[in-house]
Amino acid sequence: QNNGNPIALLIERLDLEHDAVVLALPQPDGDAGTDIDTEPHSSEGEDEASPVVHVSVSLLETAHSNARKMYDKYREHKLKFERTAASAKTALTAAEKTAQKQLTDAQTKKAAAASLSSVRKQTLWFTKFHWFVTSDNYLVIGGRDAQQNELLVKRYLRKGDAYLHAEIHGASSVILRAKRLRREGSRTTEILPLSEQALREA
């Protein structure tokens, strides 16, 4: 090294315990390196440190054998990196699909809840009265007080409906609503006769 031998200048230190010599080789531009230690190294007369790679070379092996081992090691780490990258990409894709599914499920549940809430908020007009549905699906409505009795008769009693009222003071006025059927292509509806079952239950 004192004589300026270019090969000798590459020697960083001797590792005679392992029959090896550690070389400080210039690191090529853009080389990310492997697992070999990398640290700045400066030669005498240099103002700025230039990156180097420390490479351990066996004194018991030929140059070709050392080079082959280094290449095999480099290829092994490259394959390991590629497998890790592929696994990470697969995991990321799976996580994105899971997140998208969870988001879709949450949006579906939110829409369903909003729809149900909207239905619940839609109060049917007859719920302010006494009411029930007969076993054969006829609607029966009764007034809660005198004012509702009058409202039922004036506003909701239709042609074909049955009006029922007990001859008792304060009794509720009751309407049995007739079913109507609209024929295809017709603008008018046909009033269906009340069933005996519905009249009895009303």
Side-chain angles (χ1 to χ4, degrees):
Q1 290 183 339
N2 292 334
N3 294 328
N5 186 292
I7 302 300
L9 290 174
L10 296 176
I11 299 175
E12 178 71 16
R13 67 180 182 274
L14 296 176
D15 185 9
L16 299 180
E17 183 179 351
H18 298 95
D19 296 318
V21 59
V22 178
L23 304 180
L25 303 178
Q27 179 175 308
D29 293 339
D31 188 357
T34 61
D35 66 337
I36 302 174
D37 292 337
T38 303
E39 61 182 28
H41 174 79
S42 60
S43 301
E44 291 186 24
E46 289 184 342
D47 295 330
E48 296 183 0
S50 57
V52 298
V53 176
H54 288 166
V55 179
S56 179
V57 177
S58 174
L59 297 174
L60 304 178
E61 304 283 349
T62 64
H64 176 77
S65 179
N66 276 294
R68 185 65 189 178
K69 286 184 177 180
M70 291 178 190
Y71 175 76
D72 289 343
K73 194 171 186 179
Y74 164 78
R75 185 174 61 179
E76 177 186 348
H77 283 278
K78 182 179 180 181
L79 291 175
K80 182 178 179 181
F81 172 79
E82 290 175 350
R83 286 194 297 268
T84 302
S87 298
K89 184 177 180 181
T90 301
L92 179 60
T93 301
E96 288 176 346
K97 288 182 178 179
T98 301
Q100 183 62 42
K101 184 178 184 301
Q102 291 175 343
L103 178 61
T104 302
D105 291 345
Q107 290 175 340
T108 301
K109 290 180 180 178
K110 184 177 179 180
S115 177
L116 180 60
S117 176
S118 176
V119 170
R120 287 176 176 173
K121 289 180 180 178
Q122 293 176 2
T123 304
L124 297 173
W125 64 268
F126 54 80
T127 56
K128 60 185 176 182
F129 302 102
H130 290 305
W131 66 277
F132 71 93
V133 178
T134 67
S135 58
D136 49 355
N137 294 321
Y138 282 87
L139 177 63
V140 180
I141 313 167
R144 295 176 181 271
D145 51 37
Q147 184 178 2
Q148 282 196 350
N149 287 341
E150 183 177 355
L151 181 64
L152 275 174
V153 174
K154 288 185 176 180
R155 181 177 298 179
Y156 298 108
L157 183 60
R158 310 168 304 170
K159 183 178 179 181
D161 293 347
Y163 173 77
L164 303 97
H165 184 70
E167 294 183 359
I168 302 174
H169 179 70
S172 177
S173 290
V174 177
I175 295 176
L176 174 60
R177 301 269 288 185
K179 296 180 181 180
R180 283 166 165 71
L181 176 66
R182 184 182 297 277
R183 301 293 183 183
E184 186 176 355
S186 175
R187 295 184 178 181
T188 60
T189 57
E190 177 185 348
I191 302 173
L192 301 179
L194 298 169
S195 71
E196 292 296 328
Q197 179 69 24
L199 287 168
R200 284 195 300 270
E201 292 181 14

